[in-house]
Structure formats: structure tokens, C-alpha cells
Amino acid sequence: MVSAVSSPSQATQISSSSASSNASQEAALEKQIQAKEEEADTVEDQVQAAKLQQEIAALKAKLAALKAADKAAQQEQSAPSDAVARQAEFDGDTKTTSNEFWM
């Protein structure tokens, strides 16, 4: 199903809901990383410790990706996208930047 964002406020709601979801995922990943690091410190078997280090690296990569997505969403939120502006113009909104100076 295809749907269009009808207003900048709707776009803000969509991105803020994904940001809050990302924040909860980030918190969960940080807890997992801490638990794995603590487990890796107590493991005496080097093979098991190496596996845990790999798991930690994978979790840290996921965390970095989520943080990057949050940063991108915040930047997108601060300025309306071209698609939103075009949709607003199509809907007849006279306050878009593309037709601001029309007489």
C-alpha cells in the first residue's frame, strides 16, 4: 500500500514515533552490550571469549546504525523535504517556498 505524507506535521509525527522506537532499541542494545562485556570479562575459555567479542561488535554496529538513523531523522525533521513541499503545493497550500513569491 502506498500512502503520501499529507502535511509537515504528519511527517514530524512519523519521524518522532520512529525516533522514540529507535531510542528504546538503542537502550536495549546498550544493555545487551554491557551484559556481553561483563560476561566476556568472566569467561576463561578463549574461544567463548572470542565469540562474545564478535557478538559485542555486532551489537555495537547495530547501535551505531540506529544512532545514525536518529541523526538523519532529526536533520530531516528540521527542514521540510522537497517531497513534502511538492505535496503541499499540489494540495493547494499557498505557504510553500516554491510559490511564495507568486502574484
Side-chain angles (χ1 to χ4, degrees):
M1 184 168 121
V2 175
S3 63
V5 175
S6 62
S7 70
S9 64
Q10 186 178 4
T12 301
Q13 289 174 338
I14 292 168
S15 63
S16 66
S17 66
S18 71
S20 65
S21 174
N22 283 354
S24 63
Q25 288 178 347
E26 287 174 18
L29 283 172
E30 287 172 349
K31 286 180 182 179
Q32 282 182 319
I33 290 168
Q34 183 178 7
K36 293 285 182 184
E37 286 175 339
E38 289 172 2
E39 186 178 348
D41 288 342
T42 61
V43 171
E44 292 180 17
D45 180 19
Q46 289 187 356
V47 174
Q48 184 63 25
K51 286 180 183 179
L52 287 171
Q53 290 300 326
Q54 287 177 337
E55 290 177 20
I56 291 168
L59 290 171
K60 285 182 177 182
K62 285 182 184 179
L63 180 60
L66 281 174
K67 287 183 178 184
D70 280 347
K71 186 176 181 180
Q74 288 173 351
Q75 289 173 348
E76 197 174 289
Q77 205 173 25
S78 65
S81 70
D82 290 339
V84 171
R86 285 192 302 273
Q87 183 66 41
E89 183 177 353
F90 180 78
D91 292 341
D93 185 359
T94 59
K95 296 178 182 166
T96 62
T97 56
S98 61
N99 61 7
E100 194 170 83
F101 299 105
W102 286 24
M103 292 188 169

